[in-house]
Amino acid sequence: MTPSKFQKTLTYVLLIAFSALWLFPVLWIFLSSFKNNTELYQFPPTFLPQQFTLEHFVNAFEKGNFGKYFLNSAIVAITSTILLLLINSMAGYALAKYKFKGGTFILLAFISTLMIPLEVIMIPIFKVLSFLGLYNTLLALIIPPAATPTGVFMLRQYLLTIPNELLEAARIDGAGEWKIYWRIILPLCQPILAALAIFSFMWRWDDFLWPLIAISDPSKYTVQLALSNFIGEFNVDWGSLLAMSVITMIPVLIVFLIFQKHLVNSMATSGMK
Amino acid sequence: MASQPNLITKKKRKLQIAPYLFVLPNLLIFTVFIVVPTLLGVIYSFHNYDGLNPMKFSGFDNYAYIFTDDKFWSTLGKTLTYAIIVVPLIYACSLGVAILLVQQVIMKGFFRAIFYWPTMISFIIVGLTWRWIFGELGIINAVMVAFDYEQITFLANPFFAKVAVIIAAVWSRLGFFMVLFVAGLLAIPKDFYEAAHLDGASKVKAFFHITLPLLKPTTLLVVMLSMIEAFKAYPLMFALTGGGPNKATTYIVQYIYETGFAKQELGLASAMSVVLFIIITIFTVLQFKLTKGGEN
């Protein structure tokens, strides 16, 4: 069954047209961020920057305090990801490899909360954060989101495929339970942990609603909160906004470029975000 | 050898405690930040509570109020309309692109990356991006003017603002669902198509009689996930339209957020959350039942 020439041409035409549509918005933001203000507000707009300038980027960091927000986001995304990998893999290991009372119940409880969107419990979450004294701290952005049901479930499913004999052999050799987890389970989980690390980084970096609930002090803003705050202002400073958007996309772009294949493959097999 | 039984019981005891210790940190955080707030939310929904003064039990008052609250139903209606438009659009576009990408094309990885990339960008930036494009001085207006049409302030027009939100949502979510469809399409055995071809079935026929039925599990997943997402939509609208113009793009989550945090009506907002959760659950169960769990 060889596809006809017409069909092949049509496939390419559609693909190129579609992908141009998908590429254009980001490209447009990127190019616009290098235009000076006169050019930025000129109509009709130019496509390429006529006078390439970095002033918006400089402004974002000098006047917009963007370096601080960037650092906050980096701290949150990195530490929360490490915590997530640790506690999710521990839980996933317990739920996959031990038979214990309440295990099934805990698993079902985890999975069923996938159905409860954060949006639905945002008000009481705010009260819990206040009660624990976590409101307005970066810890509020690091600890609570680290116990994701998705991560536990992905790891559990992955660990089910690892033969029990391996663990039994280690036990006979006298290895303790923690040692088995640390020395055998974690190294074996590397591929799934890598995929989860990317997701987690992206979730935390892109998060808006959770920081919006948990943070009100501007010095603790993440990049997304800083951006949203800029939008809220009456006179939108598009130059800084575009520059900040471009900077904010860079870490995700780097993660994406490095792990692209890995990510798309793991997505395709696990079917989760 | 005499100590052997003792050793075994000791080991067994360790084995019994170990799983609880492993699951504990996750379970603790999960309980404090998901289970407790969920229960609290239900409790709040039966109280008159502003977050500062003590709660006052009010029975079903909040729920009764919701029934008479026109704004609640109109934002819910808008959310539903949005979901009804955006879910099939995402479904059709992501399936379409996935079909193109399972053909033998060069630079497959490159194309996949282009479609997947917007999925990685936060809704805030997606919103900003399209706000810049649809703006008065944006590229779409430039094209309109080039073709002798008048400039339109798209985001100040309720209809166009809604269209803008839908375009941005499809743009940002297509890549994610495309990947799911690619996986689903690749799982269909090639022999099926060859047999259909030998029987003289056209490609269109093969699509409707082989591809679509066999894609049922993926379809269920895509429709369910995109529907739940549509019901929860807020950050994108926040950045793109701010919920305007004239509340045209204010959907249910934004309304709950404003009721709870801006108006300090925590009890009422919690009751709205409970209603929203029930609605999402009903739709999910309905979808699941209608497709018989997505089984073939």
Side-chain angles (χ1 to χ4, degrees):
Chain A
M1 190 164 62
T2 48
S4 64
K5 213 167 187 180
F6 169 74
Q7 199 198 326
K8 253 204 148 142
T9 320
L10 187 69
T11 305
Y12 276 106
V13 168
L14 284 174
L15 257 187
I16 291 166
F18 251 98
S19 55
L21 270 177
W22 253 252
L23 191 61
F24 182 77
V26 180
L27 194 66
W28 183 242
I29 284 275
F30 182 75
L31 291 172
S32 298
S33 69
F34 296 110
K35 294 172 185 169
N36 66 31
N37 266 333
T38 332
E39 213 185 320
L40 210 51
Y41 295 110
Q42 151 194 326
F43 192 83
T46 50
F47 185 64
L48 292 170
Q50 306 298 309
Q51 281 175 312
F52 184 89
T53 171
L54 288 174
E55 65 171 316
H56 302 308
F57 291 89
V58 175
N59 270 347
F61 280 98
E62 282 184 354
K63 289 185 207 155
N65 207 7
F66 204 64
K68 175 86 184 153
Y69 309 135
F70 199 86
L71 188 69
N72 284 344
S73 272
I75 292 170
V76 167
I78 293 169
T79 49
S80 184
T81 296
I82 293 169
L83 185 67
L84 176 143
L85 294 181
L86 184 73
I87 66 172
N88 279 10
S89 61
M90 282 165 63
Y93 170 48
L95 293 170
K97 289 296 169 202
Y98 291 92
K99 276 206 170 95
F100 62 108
K101 245 191 190 159
T104 318
F105 175 77
I106 293 172
L107 180 69
L108 285 178
F110 280 153
I111 297 173
S112 65
T113 54
L114 283 170
M115 279 289 297
I116 300 176
L118 161 68
E119 288 77 357
V120 167
I121 49 173
M122 57 190 170
I123 288 155
I125 279 178
F126 168 76
K127 296 308 283 184
V128 170
L129 286 174
S130 312
F131 176 77
L132 294 174
L134 286 174
Y135 180 66
N136 245 333
T137 65
L138 286 187
L139 277 182
L141 304 185
I142 294 168
I143 297 172
T148 58
T150 318
V152 175
F153 192 58
M154 276 169 77
L155 279 154
R156 175 190 177 261
Q157 297 306 96
Y158 184 85
L159 280 166
L160 284 178
T161 63
I162 288 172
N164 287 330
E165 288 78 13
L166 202 63
L167 310 182
E168 288 307 324
R171 275 188 197 118
I172 288 166
D173 287 348
E177 300 306 307
W178 177 259
K179 204 171 180 187
I180 292 174
Y181 160 76
W182 194 252
R183 291 282 175 80
I184 299 175
I185 296 297
L186 271 192
L188 278 173
C189 284
Q190 247 172 33
I192 193 85
L193 287 176
L196 200 55
I198 302 163
F199 284 141
S200 166
F201 185 87
M202 202 181 81
W203 289 334
R204 295 287 74 79
W205 189 268
D206 285 346
D207 210 355
F208 170 66
L209 201 57
W210 189 280
L212 184 70
I213 298 167
I215 300 288
S216 69
D217 174 3
S219 73
K220 309 249 169 59
Y221 275 1
T222 60
V223 285
Q224 310 295 346
L225 275 186
L227 277 171
S228 73
N229 203 44
F230 260 82
I231 304 169
E233 281 172 20
F234 193 69
N235 278 321
V236 174
D237 173 9
W238 272 106
S240 303
L241 219 47
L242 293 170
M244 286 181 198
S245 302
V246 170
I247 301 164
T248 305
M249 283 191 270
I250 290 173
V252 187
L253 180 64
I254 293 171
V255 170
F256 179 63
L257 289 179
I258 297 174
F259 296 103
Q260 192 252 116
K261 236 192 188 134
H262 202 80
L263 185 71
V264 174
N265 287 342
S266 72
M267 276 264 311
T269 45
S270 72
M272 280 190 242
K273 191 192 170 182
Chain B
M1 280 314 253
S3 66
Q4 195 71 344
N6 197 4
L7 195 72
I8 287 173
T9 43
K10 214 174 159 189
K11 270 206 163 158
K12 258 198 175 159
R13 207 178 308 134
K14 250 189 183 171
L15 267 178
Q16 278 164 352
I17 305 169
Y20 294 104
L21 292 179
F22 277 120
V23 96
L24 187 71
N26 207 80
L27 192 63
L28 197 70
I29 297 176
F30 169 83
T31 309
V32 173
F33 294 103
I34 297 180
V35 178
V36 170
T38 306
L39 298 176
L40 273 181
V42 177
I43 295 171
Y44 287 169
S45 75
F46 292 105
H47 287 81
N48 200 339
Y49 186 36
D50 62 2
L52 303 167
N53 298 305
M55 292 196 281
K56 254 188 249 145
F57 182 76
S58 62
F60 282 93
D61 280 6
N62 288 326
Y63 292 95
Y65 177 81
I66 290 172
F67 268 99
T68 61
D69 182 11
D70 292 344
K71 272 196 198 146
F72 179 83
W73 296 106
S74 78
T75 41
L76 187 64
K78 273 184 277 180
T79 313
L80 198 61
T81 319
Y82 167 75
I84 288 170
I85 296 171
V86 93
V87 171
L89 260 179
I90 286 181
Y91 173 80
C93 293
S94 52
L95 178 58
V97 171
I99 287 173
L100 292 177
L101 280 175
V102 291
Q103 317 285 323
Q104 283 179 338
V105 287
I106 49 167
M107 303 214 295
K108 223 180 261 187
F110 171 75
F111 282 119
R112 274 190 205 177
I114 287 185
F115 289 116
Y116 192 70
W117 166 241
T119 296
M120 309 268 299
I121 308 173
S122 74
F123 280 124
I124 294 296
I125 295 180
V126 171
L128 276 173
T129 305
W130 286 92
R131 192 166 169 182
W132 180 237
I133 289 173
F134 281 113
E136 213 174 334
L137 306 174
I139 193 86
I140 297 188
N141 263 323
V143 174
M144 303 263 297
V145 169
F147 285 95
D148 275 341
Y149 287 97
E150 275 186 35
Q151 247 167 297
I152 297 178
T153 42
F154 287 104
L155 299 175
N157 174 308
F159 174 75
F160 285 120
K162 283 179 184 164
V163 174
V165 164
I166 288 166
I167 291 175
V170 173
W171 181 79
S172 86
R173 299 306 291 143
L174 176 132
F176 175 73
F177 294 110
M178 168 203 81
V179 174
L180 297 184
F181 273 128
V182 166
L185 286 169
L186 290 177
I188 299 176
K190 285 229 164 53
D191 323 5
F192 288 16
Y193 293 106
E194 274 158 29
H197 186 67
L198 286 178
D199 286 347
S202 68
K203 291 232 147 145
V204 179
K205 244 187 164 167
F207 175 76
F208 282 105
H209 288 96
I210 300 171
T211 315
L212 275 190
L214 287 177
L215 269 183
K216 250 187 175 174
T218 319
T219 299
L220 175 70
L221 188 65
V222 169
V223 172
M224 258 172 29
L225 290 180
S226 58
M227 194 190 65
I228 292 173
E229 275 183 9
F231 272 107
K232 303 188 324 191
Y234 170 45
L236 174 66
M237 292 76 197
F238 175 86
L240 179 54
T241 61
N246 200 12
K247 303 262 169 206
T249 54
T250 298
Y251 297 132
I252 192 72
V253 169
Q254 182 174 354
Y255 187 58
I256 296 175
Y257 180 83
E258 283 171 0
T259 308
F261 289 99
K263 291 193 196 145
Q264 298 271 318
E265 303 217 37
L266 268 60
L268 181 60
S270 294
M272 289 174 179
S273 296
V274 172
V275 174
L276 175 63
F277 179 66
I278 292 170
I279 290 169
I280 292 180
T281 310
I282 289 173
F283 270 89
T284 314
V285 171
L286 215 62
Q287 174 68 25
F288 201 78
K289 281 264 158 74
L290 281 177
T291 56
K292 298 194 184 81
E295 274 160 42
N296 297 309

